[in-house]
Amino acid sequence: MLTPLVISTWQKLSTRIVVMLVSFLCLGLIVIGSTLLLTWQLEGSGGAINVTGSLRMNSYRIGMLLAAAPAPGDRPIHRARVLAQVAQMDDTLSLIRRGDPQRPLLLPPGAEIQAGFGHVNTQWHDALRPQILAHLDRLTASPAGQDDLEAGIARFVSRADALVRLIERDSEARAFWLRASQLALLALALIGTIAVIYLLFNMIIAPVERLQGGIERMRKQDFSVRLPVDSNDEFGRLAQDFNLMADRLDALYGNLEQLVETKTVALESRNLELSLLFESASFLQHPQSAETLCAGFLTRIRTFFNADGGSVRVLDPTRGILHMMCHQGISDELMEADHCLKVGDCLCGDAALKKISVVHDMRRMPESVRLACHRQGFATVSVFHIFAQSQHLGFFNLHFREATTFNPRQLALLETLGQLLGTAIENQRLAEREREMAISEERNLVAQGLHDSIAQSLNFLNLQVQMLEQSLAQNQYEDVATIVPALRAGVEESYQDVRELLQNYRTRLQEGNFVQSLEVTVQKFRRQTGIEIALQADTDGAPFPREQQLQMLFIVQEALSNIRKHAGARHVQVRLHDRHDFLLSIDDDGAGFDPALVGAEDDGHIGIHIMGERARRMHATLDITSAPGNGTQVQLSLASAQRRAA
């Protein structure tokens, strides 16, 4: 495997490009700066030439003024003009000496030029200027004095001309260097452009073209292409990464068929596992006996894992015994010996005690402790536990005649299957307990109904029979004539109660909705009693579960039974309003009663208590409104928050 390139700061392409551009910029700025300096100096030298040349003109003007002979009245004006020219000469020399950067005016700094300016300045201040002032003070000018003045002016002009020539020669030299610097700047621009193009081509364009060519060849599935790593910068790193990618793709395409086959096998294995889980979950959801449940489960996992045998055992926690629920592929002799296995016995019992899944290689067991399953020819025996909500319910075995191992995924699958089986067994037990509780509650209600009707009637008949025996023993036949009709009425009433109880507890919901079952009950009441009864139903709510519908029907039957036995009513109204909230009411115009007295009695009207118990079982509210002589209303209500849809 190639070692990744380590790129230092100075080897980075970005660093080199920045350094190159900054270098060219600095060099260009130096050349441009020198050109600007030379141009400024040339302008200053030109100004110095002009100002120095004006010295000659001013000196000639002074000579002309001094040569003229003014009238006596014009002498002050003449003197002022000469002094003004002298002052202008002083100012001009002072300006040349200090310079003026804004004009610009600059005396070149050469030693010869500075010496020439010193001679001119000395000539003016030490010779010509005193001579002019002395000549001006004399009233009349002699010819000899005039000649000396002209000679002095000539010498000064000669010095000024020499200074101008020196400045002009210096300007010519600076103009030469200005042109040279401009040519150098032009050459620098050309050379820099060529250098930048060459460097950018070598550093960027050529590597990009090589990379593009490699990508194009790779696009044509030529995975043998490799790029040269001839630099230690970003493109070198990119070329190295490209080569690594090419190696990887070459290896992948070389092993593509094998990889596809491997992935296909793995995918098929996962699909088979998912199919097993789905099929097992679907099978375990069906209501069936525990033996059938375990046998179907064992058949499916044996087929999937190609096991030669297997068994399912369920734990009895009270006695610590593992009961055999089903077995397949195992001899009856072995099963008879291990039909009831205690926790801690044998390898399987020890695994159940520790609650761990194990796979035993029977070939590695010592000869002195050869177990029955090993003697039966099994090389591998596995134990996997059955759990439901962290509760240990038992285990199942898989027996193999050839040595078998499980990978982690298979072990996880078997543990998941054990949890599915445990959940199914626990659901079956909970359903059985729920049925037992429902039967027990219904028996309690039946017992209360029998106590309310049959038991009290039989107690009354028992008392009447005792009174009949006493009357016969005392030959009181008049009392006998009174007791016998009472006995007949009691027997008839008991018979009617028994028939009504039998009919009520044989009630089954009609095919259809709850309203149809109510109509059948109302018609039966009308037919048996002859009492006028009406049913008014307004229902648009969600259907109730069948158990709740049956409890509602029992409450209606109990209320109608009480009306028949106690109310003496002529009209009965049954109203059903089922929208979001549920409301069922039974109204009669019978004798009525005092609810406070009924609630205080313990030996009568148990039917009302039975109706209340049924209402509580379905989380409904039962309200009974009655008064002596004003009839009775029984109202069953269930809020939308409490109702359960079917």
Side-chain angles (χ1 to χ4, degrees), residues 1-2 211-219 222-227 237-254:
M1 183 176 179
L2 296 177
L211 181 61
Q212 184 178 4
I215 293 174
E216 183 66 21
R217 289 177 59 185
M218 187 174 291
R219 188 178 65 83
D222 181 9
F223 299 109
S224 62
V225 60
R226 299 294 184 273
L227 297 180
R237 179 67 177 272
L238 186 61
Q240 187 183 56
D241 293 341
F242 178 87
N243 294 337
L244 290 174
M245 180 183 67
D247 293 339
R248 185 69 178 272
L249 289 176
D250 193 13
L252 287 176
Y253 272 82

Side-chain angles (χ1 to χ4, degrees), residues 100-224:
D100 187 0
Q102 293 182 354
R103 290 185 59 174
L105 187 151
L106 181 67
L107 189 67
E112 187 176 2
I113 294 174
Q114 294 293 329
F117 175 75
H119 293 319
V120 171
N121 191 40
T122 302
Q123 181 72 24
W124 168 254
H125 287 92
D126 294 344
L128 184 58
R129 188 175 186 277
Q131 189 177 2
I132 292 172
L133 294 178
H135 186 80
L136 185 63
D137 289 337
R138 287 192 293 269
L139 296 178
T140 56
S142 63
Q146 186 66 30
D147 293 338
D148 292 337
L149 179 61
E150 291 178 355
I153 292 174
R155 287 192 297 273
F156 177 77
V157 170
S158 177
R159 295 280 187 183
D161 289 338
L163 178 61
V164 169
R165 287 193 295 273
L166 289 176
I167 296 174
E168 287 177 348
R169 285 198 299 271
D170 182 81
S171 296
E172 291 175 357
R174 292 183 185 278
F176 171 78
W177 285 112
L178 177 61
R179 289 190 293 273
S181 63
Q182 290 174 344
L183 292 174
L185 183 61
L186 179 61
L188 178 64
L190 293 175
I191 295 173
T193 302
I194 296 173
V196 169
I197 293 174
Y198 176 77
L199 292 175
L200 291 179
F201 181 84
N202 284 337
M203 290 190 298
I204 298 177
I205 298 176
V208 169
E209 288 180 348
R210 287 197 299 269
L211 181 61
Q212 184 178 4
I215 293 174
E216 183 66 21
R217 289 177 59 185
M218 187 174 291
R219 188 178 65 83
K220 297 178 180 179
Q221 297 186 358
D222 181 9
F223 299 109
S224 62

